[in-house]
Amino acid sequence: MLSIKAKIVIAYTFVFGALLTGFAMLTYAAAYDNEVAKLDARLESHADKIATELEEDSHEPGFPSRTALDSIQTGGLPAVKVRLLTLDRNVVFADPGFSLESDVKWKKGTVSNAQKSTAKIARKKIRIMQWPVEIDDKIQYLVQIAAPMHDVEDNLEPMRVLFLVLIPVGLMLSGGAAYLISVLAFRPMMRMVKTAETISATTLDARLDLPNVKDEVHLLGRALNEMIDRIDGAIKSQRQFVADASHELRTPLTIMKSELEFAHRTAKRSKLKETIGTSVAELDHLSSLVNDLLTLARLDGAQLKLEIAPIRLDEMLVECVQAVSGVAKRKGVALKLFIEEAVEIRGDQKKLMSVFLNLLDNAIKYSSKNKKVSATLTISRGEPRKALIVIKDNGPGIPQSEHARVFTRFYRGSQSRSQTEGSGLGLAIAQRFVELHGGQIVLQSAEGRGSTFTVELPVSDDSRPGVS
Ligand code: ADP
């Protein structure tokens, strides 16, 4: 599909080209007619002289003779040829090469007036004039004189060359001007497109730059800005609703949990104890889902602020591994920790800890018995310096096609849905937390080959332990 800019350039060039060509053709035709008229005038005067000479010689012996006309000046006519015809169109005499009449179309019947015609003889354009010869006040012969028209064409050569140069140059200039005009006209629109491309659900406070001139582009931009206002309002109230609902649900859930735990402790019948135990587990799942929803709603509404403080990543990772070691042991998964060196960064202790706990929890959750899970802390050698926390497992792995989707909300792999508990919100939250710290989570995994999640966090030079 052609862009609007290209369409404008093509249409403009086409219309301008048609106008320019039309103008050139009309001008050329007028100049041509003018040159032919000049040639005709000279032919007319020459024919007149011949007719007069013939009339004067009409009583001479040997009349009519071609040689009697030799003395007549041609008046600058080039290579002019003459022939004399009777009124029945029998040739009385003719110059060599002027014997064909097939090409010349004369008006029938009229011989009393001068007649002109253009013919092609031996592939050359010839202008022919027919003139009545009156003897004793009676038309008795017709004299025809012919002259080549190359002078006419030669005289118009500069004009032809001028047009051949002028038209392409004019078209190029008009095409260039059309392109420039369309670029200038679309510039404010392209600026709006660039801003619109950066606007997403999380950056809805951005607005399109409106051009100062109140033209159609300004109106379009204003309408789009008003639309973003409305979408922004709707999304904000929806986020507020999720945040309020999750917040309101937390207290009753906590009360229900403590009531059920009390009931679990005091229940006598084993069947009832078992039922209450299952309910407590489900309630735990529900509570963590509500907490995750509240976290995401606050993240979206930019209500969640980082509580930045110096953090020893090595110590944090040890703590996280210890926290999940019980679960790993129960599952029969071997948990290993490698710390290359002590690393201090500035960040939010709680949020980063929840990231590592989530990754470790997933690594154990998706590994079967006797598999290994490792957590490693290193510092990248390149600039800028980064702390790399690698959580690696030998579990089922994640197919390449799902790599981007595992970080989206509520996405759970098809096997995970049926075999493990979860909400599909853990990685979405972890990714946002890491991004808030200026880092990223990189996933390397293939089906059946285990998964490696690498958390990259920026390390400032003055945050090395021992460096003050
Ligand atoms: P949840 O674990 O609650 O389902 P997450 O957001 O933590 O939600 O993970 C999303 C999905 O990513 C999981 O359902 C699972 O399919 C896949 N996944 C995450 N971590 C791993 C892992 N270590 N091994 C295999 N699959 C994983």
Side-chain angles (χ1 to χ4, degrees):
M1 265 305 278
L2 286 176
S3 69
I4 299 182
K5 264 190 256 174
K7 282 184 194 157
I8 290 176
V9 172
I10 291 172
Y12 198 83
T13 312
F14 182 77
V15 172
F16 194 66
L19 282 175
L20 215 59
T21 315
F23 169 77
M25 279 164 70
L26 284 176
T27 314
Y28 188 80
Y32 187 89
D33 287 351
N34 187 36
E35 285 295 317
V36 173
K38 277 200 258 173
L39 178 64
D40 283 352
R42 280 148 83 194
L43 281 174
E44 229 175 275
S45 130
H46 191 55
D48 191 35
K49 278 187 217 158
I50 291 175
T52 315
E53 181 69 30
L54 285 170
E55 194 183 359
E56 280 168 9
D57 292 354
S58 60
H59 301 294
E60 303 261 321
F63 174 83
S65 105
R66 171 69 183 87
T67 43
L69 308 177
D70 285 348
S71 57
I72 301 173
Q73 294 293 313
T74 57
L77 277 172
V80 65
K81 288 185 194 305
V82 181
R83 71 178 171 185
L84 192 71
L85 308 175
T86 62
L87 292 184
D88 313 331
R89 303 210 161 261
N90 291 321
V91 177
V92 181
F93 59 75
D95 282 341
F98 190 14
S99 53
L100 300 166
E101 186 154 356
S102 55
D103 289 337
V104 190
K105 303 269 179 288
W106 302 112
K107 278 188 216 144
K108 288 257 161 58
T110 47
V111 288
S112 51
N113 295 327
Q115 281 201 52
K116 304 151 209 166
S117 182
T118 302
K120 240 184 191 168
I121 296 175
R123 298 230 188 117
K124 292 212 172 93
K125 262 189 163 180
I126 309 282
R127 189 72 177 162
I128 304 179
M129 178 155 293
Q130 179 172 283
W131 196 261
V133 180
E134 282 185 26
I135 296 169
D136 302 334
D137 295 333
K138 206 169 148 243
I139 299 173
Q140 295 193 14
Y141 295 98
L142 295 170
V143 66
Q144 290 183 350
I145 60 170
M149 292 181 77
H150 54 70
D151 267 7
V152 172
E153 316 239 317
D154 289 354
N155 290 348
L156 294 175
E157 176 76 14
M159 191 182 250
R160 269 202 307 276
V161 172
L162 186 73
F163 284 149
L164 282 178
V165 175
L166 214 65
I167 293 177
V169 170
L171 285 185
M172 262 160 27
L173 286 177
S174 74
Y179 180 75
L180 212 70
I181 291 168
S182 57
V183 166
L184 289 178
F186 281 102
R187 193 175 278 166
M189 214 184 242
M190 293 318 290
R191 266 203 301 269
M192 280 167 33
V193 168
K194 283 225 164 64
T195 321
E197 277 170 353
T198 61
I199 296 180
S200 69
T202 47
T203 56
L204 269 176
D205 28 333
R207 291 291 176 274
L208 306 176
D209 272 349
L210 301 186
N212 293 333
V213 190
K214 293 209 168 35
D215 55 5
E216 290 83 348
V217 180
H218 181 98
L219 288 179
L220 174 70
R222 206 174 63 193
L224 288 174
N225 274 346
E226 284 166 7
M227 187 180 78
I228 301 170
D229 280 345
R230 290 192 292 276
I231 296 175
D232 190 22
I235 289 188
K236 273 191 182 130
S237 64
Q238 186 208 351
R239 275 182 197 148
Q240 197 54 48
F241 170 74
V242 177
D244 292 348
S246 333
H247 189 71
E248 291 303 318
L249 281 170
R250 283 208 308 184
T251 321
L253 281 174
T254 318
I255 297 169
M256 273 166 76
K257 191 179 169 195
S258 55
E259 295 285 330
L260 279 173
E261 276 171 349
F262 175 72
H264 187 254
R265 277 199 302 279
T266 51
K268 298 269 180 314
R269 288 216 316 263
S270 65
K271 190 81 185 152
L272 181 64
K273 218 177 170 64
E274 195 185 315
T275 311
I276 297 173
T278 318
S279 300
V280 172
E282 282 304 316
L283 212 57
D284 275 341
H285 176 52
L286 193 60
S287 294
S288 87
L289 180 64
V290 166
N291 278 333
D292 285 352
L293 280 176
L294 183 61
T295 308
L296 277 171
R298 285 181 176 162
L299 269 170
D300 290 345
Q303 296 164 3
L304 211 83
K305 297 273 172 292
L306 293 184
E307 286 164 28
I308 301 287
I311 308 171
R312 282 285 295 270
L313 277 180
D314 47 321
E315 288 170 5
M316 184 193 275
L317 205 57
V318 172
E319 217 177 304
C320 292
V321 168
Q322 270 168 1
V324 296
S325 61
V327 191
K329 207 170 191 174
R330 277 196 294 283
K331 241 198 130 175
V333 172
L335 197 53
K336 293 269 180 303
L337 173 67
F338 303 100
I339 290 176
E340 193 187 63
E341 61 178 292
V343 183
E344 188 175 276
I345 65 158
R346 289 183 61 76
D348 185 315
Q349 170 97 13
K350 269 197 198 152
K351 292 182 182 70
L352 284 181
M353 199 148 168
S354 83
V355 171
F356 301 143
L357 281 175
N358 186 275
L359 294 176
L360 283 166
D361 197 46
N362 276 352
I364 297 164
K365 188 162 73 174
Y366 295 110
S367 294
S368 50
K369 204 174 165 174
N370 296 329
K371 295 277 181 192
K372 265 197 285 185
V373 167
S374 65
T376 315
L377 170 65
T378 52
I379 290 258
S380 76
R381 300 282 153 241
E383 280 299 326
R385 285 176 0 113
K386 283 185 275 185
L388 305 177
I389 301 94
V390 184
I391 313 287
K392 186 172 173 3
D393 65 57
N394 295 310
I398 302 168
Q400 187 72 36
S401 58
E402 288 184 19
H403 280 199
R405 276 188 287 167
V406 292
F407 293 100
T408 55
R409 295 166 190 195
F410 291 109
Y411 180 78
R412 306 206 66 213
S414 46
Q415 283 202 339
S416 324
R417 236 171 287 146
S418 54
Q419 292 171 10
T420 54
E421 286 214 334
S423 61
L425 292 177
L427 285 180
I429 295 175
Q431 191 182 42
R432 289 293 302 279
F433 279 171
V434 173
E435 281 170 359
L436 281 179
H437 283 84
Q440 59 169 349
I441 304 185
V442 181
L443 166 62
Q444 283 167 296
S445 181
E447 212 168 353
R449 299 242 181 110
S451 310
T452 305
F453 286 87
T454 306
V455 179
E456 298 181 2
L457 290 168
V459 182
S460 55
D461 278 336
D462 56 357
S463 58
R464 226 188 278 214
V467 179
S468 55

